[in-house]
Amino acid sequence: GQYGGEGGMVQINSGATATFTNCVIAHARFDAFYSCGSVRMDNSVIWDADRGFNNRTGGSGTYRNCVVYNTRMGLACDGGNVQLSNCSVTRYLAGMGYWRGSMSFNHCNFWTDLPNAYSPASVLSSKPLYVDADQGDFRLQEGSPLIDAGDAAGAPALDYFGQPRCDVPDVANTGVAGTNGVCPDIGIHEVVSRYAGADVDAVPTEI
């Protein structure tokens, strides 16, 4: 699609409200997600795009436990208000582009192996150790620094696979636990056993 000379695979126009849960948006030639409206996105993947999120003037976005992978620019803000919690943005040339509006990051991870890339300050910057990101498998391997590194206040109750938030007993919490003592993981996958990635067989499927 096209909007003001730019294109979004998924596009939310001014005045519209949309909620996305457990979604995969992949292989966008320009913006994977373009919004001038009000958006909430949980446990979702934006994968293989020029720009991941693009929030425009008048738009507001709340993104919780999402994954952005393999983009030129992970997210862009040209107006409006964007809040990310427990999100992992990896493999990019520029982690973010900021012109107008406001952006906030709560227990997010920005990391890339591409040279001369730009990443925002004051976030975790670690290789996430996905099972096989190039094939769309964003589960976490054992030893991933994203395990127990999120903020419970900013996490949906269940992960992409329907697993409840939980602690891995022998992993030190680096995030913020909820009232039940559970410290969630960053990203779409909540590891429920010591051996990360072994608890579920399903992987995200493009739609």
Side-chain angles (χ1 to χ4, degrees):
Q2 295 291 322
Y3 185 88
E6 298 183 348
M9 180 175 280
V10 176
Q11 192 164 288
I12 309 301
N13 290 336
S14 179
T17 300
T19 300
F20 298 84
T21 303
N22 300 357
C23 297
V24 176
I25 305 171
H27 314 308
R29 295 183 63 183
F30 195 55
D31 293 336
F33 194 84
Y34 185 106
S35 177
C36 299
S38 178
V39 172
R40 180 165 184 157
M41 182 179 287
D42 291 346
N43 295 329
S44 295
V45 174
I46 290 180
W47 171 36
D48 189 22
D50 183 65
R51 295 192 296 197
F53 305 129
N54 186 2
N55 197 82
R56 306 292 289 188
T57 299
S60 63
T62 300
Y63 303 94
R64 305 189 303 168
N65 288 84
C66 293
V67 165
V68 180
Y69 178 77
N70 195 33
T71 60
R72 178 181 62 87
M73 182 180 293
L75 53 127
C77 183
D78 193 10
N81 178 19
V82 178
Q83 300 176 358
L84 280 80
S85 294
N86 307 328
C87 294
S88 181
V89 182
T90 58
R91 193 168 177 80
Y92 49 76
L93 288 174
M96 58 171 278
Y98 173 76
W99 297 275
R100 294 176 294 172
S102 64
M103 302 180 74
S104 65
F105 307 103
N106 176 33
H107 288 77
C108 293
N109 181 58
F110 281 72
W111 180 88
T112 186
D113 57 353
L114 300 178
N116 303 316
Y118 168 76
S119 301
S122 303
V123 296
L124 178 66
S125 183
S126 297
K127 187 174 184 178
L129 299 181
Y130 295 130
V131 171
D132 191 351
D134 288 337
Q135 298 301 317
D137 190 343
F138 297 99
R139 294 175 298 159
L140 302 176
Q141 298 182 52
E142 181 179 7
S144 169
L146 307 192
I147 297 173
D148 294 352
D151 183 354
L158 303 177
D159 75 356
Y160 179 96
F161 304 98
Q163 300 283 355
R165 305 295 167 187
C166 64
D167 272 341
V168 176
D170 56 353
V171 173
N173 289 346
T174 57
V176 179
T179 56
N180 60 355
V182 168
C183 197
D185 300 342
I186 293 174
I188 67 167
H189 174 218
E190 188 71 25
V191 175
V192 298
S193 69
R194 180 172 180 268
Y195 299 99
D199 46 298
V200 290
D201 295 326
V203 297
T205 301
E206 300 164 27
I207 57 172

